[in-house]
Amino acid sequence: KQEVTQIPAALSVPEGENLVLNCSFTDSAIYNLQWFRQDPGKGLTSLLLIQSSQREQTSGRLNASLDKSSGRSTLYIAASQPGDSATYLCAVNQAGTALIFGKGTTLSVSS
Amino acid sequence: NAGVMQNPRHLVRRRGQEARLRCSPMKGHSHVYWYRQLPEEGLKFMVYLQKENIIDESGMPKERFSAEFPKEGPSILRIQQVVRGDSAAYFCASSPEGGSYTFGSGTRLTVV
């Protein structure tokens, strides 16, 4: 059974810092890995999708990497801003199955 | 493209009533997923559907819960005889075959 773990559970940084969020999964035979952002009381916003054949994806200040063999992904956020404060969720699936989520990392960026 | 539409946004039901949650997927998406989120907890998978078929319902309680995605119309998550423990946010997502998930804004169910 696939399990997804995200470390740390919470992170507080001052504005401008670069930071890394970690995600690990127990079964490396994944199809896709997707990072989401969730603001309090809101739905999920997709940030980046990495297919199993890819090693990284970039969007603006965000970069996500995937190491399937070790069962790990990282989300790198450059030059953090207060507007980046949210919970970041990592999820993976295998072919023909639904995404399984980690519990998330709650990020707080202070100005 | 209006995205994934869920309604209602908020739903209050008394214990023992039925709750019906609706989800209209994005245009062109044939796969629908339902998740439940409790306060301070992660998203728990409930059920995965394609048009007229349930692909995986392993996360859905066997009693009182059912889901459908008919040929025409939205996907429905139905909870019969609701109890206080059913109070949660229910999220729907859709995707094309093997593609990126798009989530709706959720339905927040409160059982009183």
Side-chain angles (χ1 to χ4, degrees):
Chain A
K1 180 187 169 185
Q2 179 74 271
E3 291 183 4
V4 181
T5 303
Q6 291 187 245
I7 294 173
L11 181 63
S12 293
V13 300
E15 183 176 7
E17 273 205 8
N18 303 324
L19 58 102
V20 173
L21 307 181
N22 297 292
C23 171
S24 61
F25 43 95
T26 54
D27 187 338
S28 62
I30 65 167
Y31 187 74
N32 286 334
L33 183 145
Q34 198 164 352
W35 282 93
F36 296 86
R37 165 190 174 136
Q38 185 176 29
D39 293 284
K42 305 289 186 184
L44 279 70
T45 300
S46 178
L47 298 174
L48 291 163
L49 170 73
I50 308 179
Q51 296 176 328
S52 61
S53 58
Q54 299 172 324
R55 292 193 63 89
E56 66 176 343
Q57 286 287 335
T58 297
S59 175
R61 294 183 294 107
L62 305 180
N63 175 278
S65 68
L66 172 63
D67 183 344
K68 268 184 62 174
S69 60
S70 68
R72 295 176 189 275
S73 175
T74 60
L75 179 66
Y76 175 82
I77 302 177
S80 58
Q81 303 171 357
D84 295 331
S85 299
T87 296
Y88 290 80
L89 296 161
C90 168
V92 299
N93 68 347
Q94 287 148 309
T97 69
L99 284 176
I100 301 300
F101 283 79
K103 291 188 176 181
T105 294
T106 299
L107 172 65
S108 175
V109 182
S110 55
S111 56
Chain B
N1 196 336
V4 177
M5 303 302 292
Q6 287 190 249
N7 66 80
R9 292 291 302 273
H10 299 276
L11 182 62
V12 179
R13 284 287 177 266
R14 294 187 184 280
R15 280 179 294 171
Q17 289 184 321
E18 178 180 288
R20 281 188 178 231
L21 288 62
R22 294 175 181 76
C23 170
S24 296
M26 279 187 71
K27 190 175 180 179
H29 287 190
S30 58
H31 301 252
V32 166
Y33 316 85
W34 285 93
Y35 290 83
R36 177 162 64 178
Q37 187 174 42
L38 291 165
E40 308 305 322
E41 292 191 16
L43 276 158
K44 299 296 185 186
F45 165 72
M46 298 183 73
V47 61
Y48 165 22
L49 310 105
Q50 283 183 268
K51 280 288 185 182
E52 300 186 276
N53 289 305
I54 296 175
I55 307 301
D56 181 358
E57 56 183 349
S58 60
M60 197 159 66
K62 299 231 182 312
E63 296 184 358
R64 303 188 299 108
F65 286 73
S66 63
E68 62 177 9
F69 187 17
K71 188 175 179 181
E72 302 290 338
S75 175
I76 306 287
L77 178 67
R78 182 180 177 209
I79 311 173
Q80 294 178 291
Q81 301 175 328
V82 296
V83 300
R84 288 224 169 101
D86 296 332
S87 295
Y90 291 84
F91 290 97
C92 168
S94 71
S95 76
E97 179 74 34
S100 176
Y101 284 34
T102 301
F103 275 79
S105 297
T107 293
R108 279 144 187 88
L109 172 65
T110 302
V111 179
V112 297

